[in-house]
Amino acid sequence: GAGVSQSPRYKVTKRGQDVALRCDPISGHVSLYWYRQALGQGPEFLTYFNYEAQQDKSGLPNDRFSAERPEGSISTLTIQRTEQRDSAMYRCASSARTADTQYFGPGTRLTVL
Amino acid sequence: TQLLEQSPQFLSIQEGENLTVYCNSSSVFSSLQWYRQEPGEGPVLLVTVVTGGEVKKLKRLTFQFGDARKDSSLHITAAQPGDTGLYLCAGALERTSGSRLTFGEGTQLTVNP
C-alpha cells in the first residue's frame, strides 16, 4: 500500500507569510507525528496525535506553530508569520498504534526568505 | 542539551572495513531504535531493541542495547558502499508515554569502493 505522503515537497515563502504543510498517513494508522529535521541531523519531535486528539505538543517551538488532525487521518502543520529560522525539513510519520514502528514521509523542505 | 549523543558524527572508511557507531545517554529508555536515512528520503527503521543487554543481528549489522538501557551500539562488518548513509539512533524515554522519539544527531557514514 501507499506510504506516508507529504505536500508540498518544497515550499519557498517570504518572511511573515503563513504556511500550511500537509501529511497523509498510511491508511488506518492511529498515530501521526510531526518532526523537524536540520540537514545532516536527527529529527526533532514537534507534536503527535492519536486519532484526532493531539496527545503531546510540547515540541512545538512557539505559538506560531500549530497542528490539527480533525478527522483522525490527514494532518496539517501550520506556521504563522514565518521567520527565517523556521527554514528546515518538516517530516511526518505515522504508526499503526501508539509506540509502534513509525514510518516516515519524504518531508517538506521549507525555505523562508 | 542533546539527550542522545551519537559518535562519531562523520565516518569515512574503505570497503571491507568494520565500524562501530555509538549512542549514549544519561537517561533510561524503554526502547531504542536505529534508523538509516538516504539523501532526500525519510529515516527507515533498521531495528528496535527493548531489553537491557539485548543483541540483534541483521546480516552484517549487529545492534546492542546496554544493560542499563542508556546506550546502544551499531557494528557493521565488512562495510560496503551500499551502507553509505546517515545512521540515527532514537529512543523512547521510559518516563514518557513511549510514543515520542528522541533522536541522536546522526552518524554520516561514507564507504568508499
Side-chain angles (χ1 to χ4, degrees):
Chain A
V4 178
S5 61
Q6 291 185 244
S7 61
R9 292 293 307 274
Y10 302 90
K11 177 69 178 178
V12 180
T13 190
K14 292 184 179 179
R15 187 178 52 187
Q17 298 294 307
D18 298 350
V19 295
L21 312 180
R22 172 183 165 129
C23 172
D24 200 343
I26 293 174
S27 178
H29 276 198
V30 167
S31 302
L32 184 147
Y33 311 80
W34 283 100
Y35 294 87
R36 180 167 66 176
Q37 186 174 18
L39 190 64
Q41 297 193 7
E44 173 192 20
F45 172 83
L46 296 177
T47 184
Y48 94 94
F49 295 81
N50 278 342
Y51 298 103
E52 73 281 358
Q54 192 170 18
Q55 299 292 325
D56 183 348
K57 57 180 182 179
S58 61
L60 295 176
N62 51 61
D63 60 8
R64 294 186 298 104
F65 287 72
S66 63
E68 62 175 10
R69 194 187 184 197
E71 297 179 1
S73 179
I74 293 169
S75 176
T76 302
L77 176 70
T78 301
I79 309 173
Q80 296 178 310
R81 304 180 304 281
T82 52
E83 301 177 5
Q84 286 185 329
R85 59 178 172 158
D86 299 333
S87 296
M89 176 70 80
Y90 288 84
R91 292 203 187 275
C92 174
S94 71
S95 64
R97 294 183 304 274
T98 301
D100 279 357
T101 299
Q102 295 184 25
Y103 296 89
F104 283 81
T108 295
R109 168 71 66 187
L110 174 66
T111 302
V112 182
L113 301 177
Chain B
T1 303
Q2 191 70 24
L3 270 179
L4 274 172
E5 299 281 349
Q6 268 188 254
S7 62
Q9 267 192 290
F10 300 94
L11 190 55
S12 181
I13 61 172
Q14 294 300 121
E15 183 175 2
E17 293 184 1
N18 302 332
L19 67 112
T20 302
V21 177
Y22 299 93
C23 181
N24 296 295
S25 177
S26 57
S27 300
V28 177
F29 291 91
S30 58
S31 68
L32 198 138
Q33 302 173 346
W34 285 92
Y35 290 80
R36 179 165 164 263
Q37 184 174 9
E38 297 193 36
E41 300 190 5
V44 175
L45 181 67
L46 296 174
V47 77
T48 300
V49 285
V50 296
T51 304
E54 183 176 2
V55 177
K56 281 191 174 179
K57 292 192 176 183
L58 186 66
K59 297 184 179 178
R60 293 178 294 101
L61 278 60
T62 301
F63 305 87
Q64 187 164 7
F65 200 13
D67 290 342
R69 290 184 289 136
K70 293 183 178 181
D71 55 85
S72 181
S73 64
L74 157 61
H75 182 79
I76 301 179
T77 303
Q80 299 176 0
D83 295 328
T84 293
L86 179 67
Y87 288 81
L88 297 159
C89 65
L93 284 169
E94 191 170 62
R95 65 175 184 269
T96 68
S97 66
S99 294
R100 172 176 175 162
L101 285 179
T102 299
F103 280 83
E105 291 184 315
T107 295
Q108 182 62 56
L109 171 66
T110 302
V111 182
N112 303 297

